[in-house]
Amino acid sequence: MKLTVSTKPIPSDLAAFFICQDEQLFTMSIKKLKTNFPAAAVDVFANNEFSGKEGESVLLYTNDKKFPRVLLVGMGENEKFTIEKLRRATAAAAKKGRALKIESITMHAPDVNKGSAKEIAVAMSEAILLSLYKFDKYISDDKNGKKIKNVSFVPATPSDLKEFQQGVIIGEILAEGTIHTRDLANAPGNEIYPETLAKDAQALGHRLGFSVNVFDKKKIQSLGMGGIIGVSKGSENDPRFIIMEYGKQFKKQGTVVLVGKGVTFDTGGISIKPAASMAEMKMDMSGAAAVIGTFHSIAKLKLKRHVIGLIPSVENMPSGTAFKPGDIIRHYNGKTSEVDNTDAEGRLILADALSYASQYKPDVVIDLATLTGAVVVALGQHATGMMGNDQGVMDALRDSGEKTYERVWQLPLFDEYEKQIKSDVADVKNVGGRWAGAITAGWFLKKFIGDYKWVHLDIAGTAILESDKEYTSKGGSGVGVRLLTEFLIQWKNS
Ligand code: BES
Ligand code: ZN
Ligand code: ZN
């Protein structure tokens, strides 16, 4: 799909207007509308059929061949305007266009008092691309249906043009990274397994010019990464450890390491999961996918920052060769863990990656993992669970979360919880009992971090969606890419 910006409305199948409820702004928008579309607009307003309320929309047909359809989308009160409301309204307009089976849309940016032209452009363009995403690679028919090919934007004022154009480019890049993550997460387990996940990262690095190094089973074994070896033992598909590096020349300004859980399928292993909804465990590599998608976006943005990506990748299967409850594993840093439940596998492979991260002398390490069902119980699908050892980094991530609306919510890592993962036979046990499962998982990871600022993001609820949202469809959400990219843009080493 092509996104363009023009101060003069480009003729299309549908012209969309985003209109606030407030009297003055409403009158302004309507004036604009009436000058552009004298034939269409008058009656709806005369009859009070549209007042700009949030969620309201009206489709009008005109006899103007250049703009045969006009869509009015209500934005609510200007005072209560948020960028997220604009994302949702834009997504609604894009989906309306898809339902109408048209090929082009002209979107008129709203007249609002909040948000720069750039922010508005980022939000509108990412919302269009993300809301029209469908994982339809494996569906044989449905391919010939009309798709929206062109969307052109008209900035609120002509002087916004440059800024708006810059914003559209950024929005496109953020959507591209997010869609890459969604595609990886939604891909079935017979297509994405450790070897092919690594190939995907390598292909991306090759295309965008960053380095990717992949360790195979032999190398992982020789390094003493017992967690990765242990979890992968039951599978025919060998593990991989993927290392990505971007922007080495910016090392002076600090190094950020991103770690992603790359379990390409989680059956639970010998502690096997119930059959119902096991299929969604093909998305247990969403953390890894988010790290790859973030590299996609930051490399395209040419961000001036040194970023390392670490992905331990395994398939967790039950078999005669699988690891078992009661096994004791020795991790990369020499610490041991007792396996009480083979379904708590994510933390075992992350332990190796987190201790491996130390060698980069990172300023910040952020891990993303679909780690626990418990975080879904606590926060549902609307917030990522966040834990860590540095309030400053967590505050920054919270701000990035508000801005991108990939929101995070902090959970405490109080010392009291540590007792729950005490083992009688090893340094730590991989499960912590019934209560506070997301926190005890976080505590397990904390045992393996080095001398760096660390934040753990449990994305089990936000990465795998049960149903469609405004600009996200059921399945892999691609969460993490916009959050981390925004964080990396804003973050200053202190
Ligand atoms: N991959 C799962 C966590 C998960 C659950 C992700 C639901 C997405 C949706 C993880 O490996 C797991 O199975 N965790 C166990 C841990 C337990 C055995 C301590 C869980 O949460 O039940
Ligand atoms: Zn599991
Ligand atoms: Zn898992």
Side-chain angles (χ1 to χ4, degrees), residues 192-204 212-215 240-242 264 292 311 313:
I192 290 292
Y193 42 92
E195 184 189 348
T196 52
L197 185 68
K199 287 226 164 86
D200 186 273
Q202 277 170 320
L204 184 74
V212 180
N213 196 2
V214 177
F215 296 164
R240 292 288 186 278
F241 188 75
I242 308 164
T264 58
I292 294 173
I311 297 173
S313 184

mmCIF file of all heavy atoms in Angstrom, residues 192-204 212-215 240-242 264 292 311 313:
data_model
loop_
_atom_site.group_PDB
_atom_site.id
_atom_site.type_symbol
_atom_site.label_atom_id
_atom_site.label_comp_id
_atom_site.label_asym_id
_atom_site.label_seq_id
_atom_site.Cartn_x
_atom_site.Cartn_y
_atom_site.Cartn_z
ATOM 1 N N ILE A 192 7.933 -22.170 11.558
ATOM 2 C CA ILE A 192 8.921 -21.459 12.379
ATOM 3 C C ILE A 192 9.348 -22.343 13.556
ATOM 4 O O ILE A 192 8.566 -22.631 14.460
ATOM 5 C CB ILE A 192 8.357 -20.102 12.871
ATOM 6 C CG1 ILE A 192 8.223 -19.116 11.696
ATOM 7 C CG2 ILE A 192 9.245 -19.491 13.956
ATOM 8 C CD1 ILE A 192 9.524 -18.625 11.087
ATOM 9 N N TYR A 193 10.573 -22.784 13.497
ATOM 10 C CA TYR A 193 11.210 -23.517 14.584
ATOM 11 C C TYR A 193 12.605 -22.899 14.728
ATOM 12 O O TYR A 193 12.954 -22.001 13.925
ATOM 13 C CB TYR A 193 11.213 -25.038 14.308
ATOM 14 C CG TYR A 193 11.543 -25.421 12.886
ATOM 15 C CD1 TYR A 193 12.844 -25.696 12.503
ATOM 16 C CD2 TYR A 193 10.555 -25.471 11.911
ATOM 17 C CE1 TYR A 193 13.149 -26.035 11.194
ATOM 18 C CE2 TYR A 193 10.846 -25.795 10.596
ATOM 19 C CZ TYR A 193 12.137 -26.080 10.242
ATOM 20 O OH TYR A 193 12.448 -26.394 8.940
ATOM 21 N N PRO A 194 13.395 -23.274 15.733
ATOM 22 C CA PRO A 194 14.617 -22.500 15.998
ATOM 23 C C PRO A 194 15.469 -22.198 14.768
ATOM 24 O O PRO A 194 15.920 -21.064 14.583
ATOM 25 C CB PRO A 194 15.347 -23.386 17.014
ATOM 26 C CG PRO A 194 14.233 -24.052 17.759
ATOM 27 C CD PRO A 194 13.169 -24.329 16.735
ATOM 28 N N GLU A 195 15.646 -23.197 13.917
ATOM 29 C CA GLU A 195 16.504 -23.000 12.745
ATOM 30 C C GLU A 195 15.920 -21.940 11.797
ATOM 31 O O GLU A 195 16.637 -21.058 11.295
ATOM 32 C CB GLU A 195 16.630 -24.344 12.004
ATOM 33 C CG GLU A 195 17.566 -24.310 10.842
ATOM 34 C CD GLU A 195 17.487 -25.598 10.003
ATOM 35 O OE1 GLU A 195 16.869 -26.587 10.462
ATOM 36 O OE2 GLU A 195 18.039 -25.594 8.899
ATOM 37 N N THR A 196 14.618 -21.998 11.550
ATOM 38 C CA THR A 196 14.016 -21.046 10.598
ATOM 39 C C THR A 196 13.836 -19.664 11.226
ATOM 40 O O THR A 196 13.881 -18.656 10.526
ATOM 41 C CB THR A 196 12.659 -21.574 10.068
ATOM 42 O OG1 THR A 196 11.841 -21.934 11.185
ATOM 43 C CG2 THR A 196 12.850 -22.771 9.176
ATOM 44 N N LEU A 197 13.649 -19.640 12.545
ATOM 45 C CA LEU A 197 13.587 -18.333 13.229
ATOM 46 C C LEU A 197 14.937 -17.622 13.056
ATOM 47 O O LEU A 197 14.997 -16.430 12.742
ATOM 48 C CB LEU A 197 13.260 -18.525 14.716
ATOM 49 C CG LEU A 197 13.053 -17.238 15.518
ATOM 50 C CD1 LEU A 197 11.783 -16.518 15.074
ATOM 51 C CD2 LEU A 197 12.959 -17.531 17.021
ATOM 52 N N ALA A 198 16.014 -18.398 13.233
ATOM 53 C CA ALA A 198 17.359 -17.828 13.062
ATOM 54 C C ALA A 198 17.569 -17.360 11.626
ATOM 55 O O ALA A 198 18.151 -16.300 11.381
ATOM 56 C CB ALA A 198 18.411 -18.867 13.450
ATOM 57 N N LYS A 199 17.063 -18.146 10.677
ATOM 58 C CA LYS A 199 17.204 -17.772 9.251
ATOM 59 C C LYS A 199 16.499 -16.455 8.982
ATOM 60 O O LYS A 199 16.968 -15.624 8.208
ATOM 61 C CB LYS A 199 16.608 -18.870 8.359
ATOM 62 C CG LYS A 199 17.474 -20.124 8.320
ATOM 63 C CD LYS A 199 17.650 -20.625 6.882
ATOM 64 C CE LYS A 199 18.806 -21.606 6.789
ATOM 65 N NZ LYS A 199 18.401 -22.990 7.095
ATOM 66 N N ASP A 200 15.344 -16.270 9.616
ATOM 67 C CA ASP A 200 14.588 -15.032 9.419
ATOM 68 C C ASP A 200 15.395 -13.830 9.919
ATOM 69 O O ASP A 200 15.480 -12.808 9.241
ATOM 70 C CB ASP A 200 13.246 -15.125 10.166
ATOM 71 C CG ASP A 200 12.366 -13.933 9.864
ATOM 72 O OD1 ASP A 200 12.500 -12.908 10.577
ATOM 73 O OD2 ASP A 200 11.571 -14.001 8.912
ATOM 74 N N ALA A 201 15.996 -13.995 11.101
ATOM 75 C CA ALA A 201 16.807 -12.902 11.663
ATOM 76 C C ALA A 201 18.008 -12.627 10.756
ATOM 77 O O ALA A 201 18.365 -11.464 10.505
ATOM 78 C CB ALA A 201 17.264 -13.263 13.070
ATOM 79 N N GLN A 202 18.615 -13.704 10.248
ATOM 80 C CA GLN A 202 19.782 -13.542 9.370
ATOM 81 C C GLN A 202 19.412 -12.820 8.075
ATOM 82 O O GLN A 202 20.137 -11.935 7.619
ATOM 83 C CB GLN A 202 20.396 -14.905 9.042
ATOM 84 C CG GLN A 202 21.332 -15.388 10.142
ATOM 85 C CD GLN A 202 21.761 -16.838 9.954
ATOM 86 O OE1 GLN A 202 20.949 -17.682 9.562
ATOM 87 N NE2 GLN A 202 23.015 -17.119 10.262
ATOM 88 N N ALA A 203 18.282 -13.205 7.515
ATOM 89 C CA ALA A 203 17.842 -12.571 6.263
ATOM 90 C C ALA A 203 17.591 -11.078 6.487
ATOM 91 O O ALA A 203 17.954 -10.243 5.661
ATOM 92 C CB ALA A 203 16.577 -13.251 5.754
ATOM 93 N N LEU A 204 16.998 -10.757 7.624
ATOM 94 C CA LEU A 204 16.717 -9.355 7.941
ATOM 95 C C LEU A 204 18.016 -8.562 8.098
ATOM 96 O O LEU A 204 18.161 -7.462 7.570
ATOM 97 C CB LEU A 204 15.877 -9.261 9.220
ATOM 98 C CG LEU A 204 15.445 -7.846 9.593
ATOM 99 C CD1 LEU A 204 14.332 -7.359 8.677
ATOM 100 C CD2 LEU A 204 14.974 -7.783 11.048
ATOM 101 N N VAL A 212 24.273 -10.645 12.315
ATOM 102 C CA VAL A 212 23.538 -11.703 13.025
ATOM 103 C C VAL A 212 24.447 -12.920 13.107
ATOM 104 O O VAL A 212 24.990 -13.372 12.104
ATOM 105 C CB VAL A 212 22.223 -12.071 12.292
ATOM 106 C CG1 VAL A 212 21.480 -13.177 13.044
ATOM 107 C CG2 VAL A 212 21.320 -10.851 12.122
ATOM 108 N N ASN A 213 24.604 -13.418 14.311
ATOM 109 C CA ASN A 213 25.453 -14.571 14.540
ATOM 110 C C ASN A 213 24.581 -15.653 15.184
ATOM 111 O O ASN A 213 23.822 -15.355 16.109
ATOM 112 C CB ASN A 213 26.580 -14.142 15.494
ATOM 113 C CG ASN A 213 27.727 -15.118 15.493
ATOM 114 O OD1 ASN A 213 27.706 -16.109 14.754
ATOM 115 N ND2 ASN A 213 28.720 -14.847 16.337
ATOM 116 N N VAL A 214 24.674 -16.878 14.681
ATOM 117 C CA VAL A 214 23.797 -17.927 15.215
ATOM 118 C C VAL A 214 24.632 -19.086 15.763
ATOM 119 O O VAL A 214 25.481 -19.635 15.054
ATOM 120 C CB VAL A 214 22.826 -18.433 14.120
ATOM 121 C CG1 VAL A 214 21.961 -19.576 14.659
ATOM 122 C CG2 VAL A 214 21.945 -17.291 13.606
ATOM 123 N N PHE A 215 24.390 -19.440 17.022
ATOM 124 C CA PHE A 215 25.053 -20.604 17.615
ATOM 125 C C PHE A 215 24.170 -21.832 17.416
ATOM 126 O O PHE A 215 22.959 -21.769 17.670
ATOM 127 C CB PHE A 215 25.264 -20.413 19.125
ATOM 128 C CG PHE A 215 26.202 -19.279 19.490
ATOM 129 C CD1 PHE A 215 26.214 -18.787 20.797
ATOM 130 C CD2 PHE A 215 27.086 -18.743 18.559
ATOM 131 C CE1 PHE A 215 27.067 -17.752 21.160
ATOM 132 C CE2 PHE A 215 27.954 -17.714 18.911
ATOM 133 C CZ PHE A 215 27.942 -17.211 20.215
ATOM 134 N N ARG A 240 18.711 -23.018 18.851
ATOM 135 C CA ARG A 240 19.624 -22.020 18.300
ATOM 136 C C ARG A 240 19.753 -20.895 19.322
ATOM 137 O O ARG A 240 18.836 -20.653 20.117
ATOM 138 C CB ARG A 240 19.082 -21.410 16.999
ATOM 139 C CG ARG A 240 19.019 -22.357 15.817
ATOM 140 C CD ARG A 240 20.414 -22.677 15.281
ATOM 141 N NE ARG A 240 20.381 -23.477 14.057
ATOM 142 C CZ ARG A 240 20.235 -24.796 14.012
ATOM 143 N NH1 ARG A 240 20.108 -25.500 15.126
ATOM 144 N NH2 ARG A 240 20.239 -25.427 12.850
ATOM 145 N N PHE A 241 20.889 -20.206 19.287
ATOM 146 C CA PHE A 241 21.040 -18.991 20.079
ATOM 147 C C PHE A 241 21.408 -17.896 19.093
ATOM 148 O O PHE A 241 22.429 -17.977 18.407
ATOM 149 C CB PHE A 241 22.120 -19.178 21.161
ATOM 150 C CG PHE A 241 22.195 -18.030 22.138
ATOM 151 C CD1 PHE A 241 21.226 -17.878 23.131
ATOM 152 C CD2 PHE A 241 23.232 -17.103 22.076
ATOM 153 C CE1 PHE A 241 21.281 -16.816 24.029
ATOM 154 C CE2 PHE A 241 23.301 -16.042 22.983
ATOM 155 C CZ PHE A 241 22.318 -15.900 23.959
ATOM 156 N N ILE A 242 20.525 -16.914 18.980
ATOM 157 C CA ILE A 242 20.675 -15.889 17.939
ATOM 158 C C ILE A 242 21.194 -14.595 18.565
ATOM 159 O O ILE A 242 20.662 -14.138 19.588
ATOM 160 C CB ILE A 242 19.313 -15.621 17.258
ATOM 161 C CG1 ILE A 242 18.678 -16.937 16.779
ATOM 162 C CG2 ILE A 242 19.459 -14.635 16.095
ATOM 163 C CD1 ILE A 242 17.194 -16.826 16.443
ATOM 164 N N THR A 264 9.529 -21.827 20.095
ATOM 165 C CA THR A 264 8.749 -21.822 18.850
ATOM 166 C C THR A 264 7.505 -22.705 18.964
ATOM 167 O O THR A 264 6.562 -22.542 18.199
ATOM 168 C CB THR A 264 9.604 -22.276 17.653
ATOM 169 O OG1 THR A 264 10.111 -23.588 17.939
ATOM 170 C CG2 THR A 264 10.762 -21.314 17.430
ATOM 171 N N ILE A 292 13.153 -9.169 16.990
ATOM 172 C CA ILE A 292 13.471 -9.121 15.556
ATOM 173 C C ILE A 292 12.741 -7.939 14.897
ATOM 174 O O ILE A 292 13.331 -7.170 14.131
ATOM 175 C CB ILE A 292 13.110 -10.465 14.867
ATOM 176 C CG1 ILE A 292 14.019 -11.583 15.404
ATOM 177 C CG2 ILE A 292 13.230 -10.352 13.342
ATOM 178 C CD1 ILE A 292 13.662 -12.990 14.931
ATOM 179 N N ILE A 311 18.487 -14.043 21.404
ATOM 180 C CA ILE A 311 17.306 -14.905 21.338
ATOM 181 C C ILE A 311 17.677 -16.365 21.572
ATOM 182 O O ILE A 311 18.287 -17.005 20.714
ATOM 183 C CB ILE A 311 16.604 -14.763 19.966
ATOM 184 C CG1 ILE A 311 16.087 -13.316 19.801
ATOM 185 C CG2 ILE A 311 15.457 -15.768 19.836
ATOM 186 C CD1 ILE A 311 15.538 -13.036 18.422
ATOM 187 N N SER A 313 16.420 -19.930 21.437
ATOM 188 C CA SER A 313 15.255 -20.500 20.761
ATOM 189 C C SER A 313 15.242 -22.021 20.839
ATOM 190 O O SER A 313 16.240 -22.692 20.533
ATOM 191 C CB SER A 313 15.244 -20.052 19.295
ATOM 192 O OG SER A 313 14.070 -20.526 18.677
#
